[in-house]
Amino acid sequence: MRKRPLRELDRYLLRQLIPPFLIALGTVMTALLLERLLVLLDDLASEGSSLATFLSLLTDLLPHYLGLAIPAAFSVSIFITIRRMSDHNEIDALMASGISLSRISHTYVLIGILLGGSSLLLYGYIQPLARYDFRSGFYSAAHAAWTPRFQARMFATTTDGAMLTAEKTRANGSVLEKVFIRANGTNDTLHLISAQRGLITTLPSRSETRLDLWNGDIITARHGNMQDLHKTHFEHSARFFINDPTVHSFRSRGKDARELTLFELIRRLEHSHQIISPSADPDSIPRSHLRAELDFRLAQALTMPFIAPLAATLAMGVKRRRPITGMILLAILLVGFYHLLQFGQSLVATGAVKGFYGVWIPELTFCAICILLFVTRSQGGWLRPKKVKIPNGVPITR
């Protein structure tokens, strides 16, 4: 007979958690992405990349920032939910009916376990692949040989060594006016080409870029002998620039430990025992980097269930006091722990300390602090109501 009310309580707590979690997740993601988006837009605009490239790179960035936003949104949403229930005396009513704070937080701990398993999938598989896709896509956008976009009075060099500039541009840089080209020809000759109009287009295969010129002149001279000049006028001329295929290729995945999935990290660690020296396998990643990355990902995922009791503990403040103190303390603990974990990862990667001392001691310390604070609060320790006396001598609880 008692299981049904508890199931109703779990559903109620879950309904109370979802709206603030979604709002907090969207807010944190927006704050994290905003600065990176501005830098990415500036870089892609300077390279003349398209909107589709920007959206593709943005999609690859989402898993990385999602891994940072989920713990923050989860802690903030639990804090807001518990604090609101405490202010509305719902926590007091539940505890008066025999439901402890541990049972109230039980639902959020289970959600934290589910988020921890999902985070393990995120940290272990989605983030490494997305990180490589982002690096590959950004490399291709930054090193694209020729695209039909050109800026006025900008000097560009083609793959065959020709130099191109234009006085004015239109239609996103594909239509040029007052074009000038300096190109090297065969037999040690130099071609100086000027035209009134030009049009840059990329062939469907993207292996070549075509430049059409109208109403121009070609001056041909030999290097070192500028007196022997030949001038040719043309109404229309077309030049083809072969795009270098090497600029569209990116290195294979796996040269960085952060691009490896969990199983790949484990296999690399097992294989690293067989490598006598780094020179025997130039593509090998140092064992310390592999160990640091593996421990860091596992520690991040295992932290999630302990966020729930920590946020619930700090939200259960003294009545009629502002909750800003608990929120500040929660932010300090989470941000400080994350940076401490990153610092420990860097120490393990450099080989200064072992993985247990650099990653797992901070992890166990953080988990112990969360449990200690929760147990103390649930037993009425550091926030136990104080008894005071009024003038008539009757004790009351404050």
Side-chain angles (χ1 to χ4, degrees), residues 188-252:
D188 197 26
T189 58
L190 176 65
H191 299 292
L192 303 177
I193 306 171
S194 61
Q196 293 296 322
R197 293 188 301 111
L199 176 64
I200 299 178
T201 55
T202 301
L203 299 184
S205 62
R206 303 190 67 86
S207 60
E208 289 183 320
T209 297
R210 174 170 174 164
L211 174 60
D212 291 275
L213 300 173
W214 288 273
N215 192 16
D217 298 304
I218 302 177
I219 299 177
T220 303
R222 290 186 176 274
H223 287 283
N225 184 11
M226 300 303 295
Q227 296 180 355
D228 186 12
L229 303 178
H230 299 278
K231 181 178 179 181
T232 304
H233 179 78
F234 63 88
E235 294 295 334
H236 175 262
S237 177
R239 293 178 59 88
F240 293 88
F241 303 106
I242 300 176
N243 297 336
D244 188 0
T246 58
V247 299
H248 295 287
S249 61
F250 189 63
R251 60 173 175 80
S252 59

Side-chain angles (χ1 to χ4, degrees), residues 71 123 295-304 306-307 310 329-345 358-370:
Y123 300 139
D295 291 344
F296 181 71
R297 295 186 195 178
L298 293 177
Q300 279 186 299
L302 292 176
T303 303
M304 199 69 66
F306 295 91
I307 292 179
L310 175 65
L329 184 58
L330 178 63
I332 291 175
L333 287 175
L334 291 178
V335 174
F337 167 70
Y338 179 76
H339 286 286
L340 182 62
L341 206 62
Q342 280 190 321
F343 178 69
Q345 180 197 15
V359 175
W360 291 110
I361 283 186
E363 171 72 17
L364 295 176
T365 302
F366 176 79
C367 296
I369 291 175
C370 295

